[in-house]
Amino acid sequence: MSVPSSAELTRARLARRFVALLLVVAGITACVLSVLNVTGGFVGDFRFLVTTFFLILGPGWSAAGFLRRAPAAHVWMLTVGVGVAVTLLVGQIMVSTGEWRPAIALYVMTVLSVPLLLRHAVVAQ
């Protein structure tokens, strides 16, 4: 088993910081576009893509940021798995309770994910 060099660790940390910051921007952008009630045209399509990107990767990257020196494949598998699971769970809760409020769910997931994402952007492991 080989030990990663410090240059490889530095590149990995920078990549993790970049992804965390990108997800913070995506989450905030999705919330702003939701508040503005953007629905049609190019901006509406952009809102859909940014929201989907954040909901699939944001909560998962919040959890994956706590892995220390894990291979990139493990980090991404955990990220996508947790993101999809959390999004499906929130959707199932909304359907089961009859309270379909996807905008509020987006805001709650953003409020819960962004502080952890900012932490991972500052302290990338």
Side-chain angles (χ1 to χ4, degrees):
M1 185 167 133
S2 65
V3 176
S5 69
S6 62
E8 290 171 337
L9 291 176
T10 301
R11 280 194 302 271
R13 286 185 186 113
L14 286 175
R16 287 184 177 201
R17 285 182 177 146
F18 175 75
V19 172
L21 288 174
L22 181 66
L23 287 169
V24 167
V25 170
I28 292 171
T29 302
C31 287
V32 167
L33 292 175
S34 177
V35 167
L36 296 176
N37 200 22
V38 174
T39 56
F42 172 76
V43 181
D45 293 341
F46 178 72
R47 174 187 173 191
F48 171 75
L49 292 174
V50 168
T51 303
T52 304
F53 173 76
F54 176 74
L55 289 177
I56 290 176
L57 298 179
W61 198 263
S62 297
F66 290 105
L67 294 177
R68 294 180 181 262
R69 297 187 182 175
H74 294 172
V75 172
W76 284 106
M77 284 177 19
L78 178 68
T79 297
V80 172
V82 169
V84 169
V86 167
T87 302
L88 286 173
L89 181 63
V90 169
Q92 181 63 42
I93 291 170
M94 287 191 296
V95 168
S96 296
T97 61
E99 293 295 323
W100 187 252
R101 306 274 189 246
I104 293 173
L106 171 66
Y107 305 146
V108 169
M109 290 177 71
T110 303
V111 165
L112 294 175
S113 297
V114 165
L116 292 171
L117 291 169
L118 288 173
R119 182 223 178 256
H120 298 321
V122 173
V123 185
Q125 298 181 17

